[in-house]
Amino acid sequence: MILNKSIKVSEKTYKLLTEICPKNKSYNDIIYNALIQQYTEEEYLTDEEAEYCNKIIDNIEKGNSTDTYSIDTADLDKKLDDLEKQGVI
């Protein structure tokens, strides 16, 4: 069963959808595959990474910031590139 619903999108969004949507696909396919499926089915962190992040968040909420450090965001893109080259991220 196909349920037809209208959703409001800006003209810019409509034009982008028109550009990326192949003729044999519907907007529904694009929205589902690009957003909903990825959001509901893919995990971005391993269990160990999620556990570590939750531990850090818990520590910060308790006022313990020993595992954190301040960064200067002036050259953030360069720093991220360097970390990626080092395999840190």
Side-chain angles (χ1 to χ4, degrees):
M1 178 176 101
I2 295 179
L3 178 65
N4 288 322
K5 287 281 187 178
S6 296
I7 59 171
K8 293 181 181 182
V9 296
S10 66
E11 185 175 345
K12 179 180 178 181
T13 301
Y14 175 80
K15 286 180 180 179
L16 288 170
L17 281 170
T18 302
E19 290 174 14
I20 65 170
C21 191
K23 299 222 184 279
N24 63 343
K25 299 254 183 195
S26 67
Y27 291 148
N28 186 70
D29 296 329
I30 298 299
I31 293 168
Y32 178 80
N33 291 328
L35 299 174
I36 299 169
Q37 185 177 24
Q38 182 177 7
Y39 178 77
T40 59
E41 296 179 6
E42 291 188 20
E43 293 186 27
Y44 295 98
L45 300 174
T46 64
D47 289 342
E48 294 81 16
E49 291 169 331
E51 185 178 327
Y52 175 77
C53 289
N54 287 332
K55 178 184 148 218
I56 297 298
I57 291 168
D58 189 45
N59 283 342
I60 291 170
E61 287 175 347
K62 291 178 181 175
N64 178 359
S65 59
T66 56
D67 290 334
T68 64
Y69 57 93
S70 299
I71 62 167
D72 178 13
T73 59
D75 296 323
L76 189 57
D77 287 335
K78 182 184 179 319
K79 290 175 184 174
L80 288 172
D81 287 341
D82 291 343
L83 289 172
E84 191 172 12
K85 287 176 187 173
Q86 296 170 22
V88 175
I89 58 172

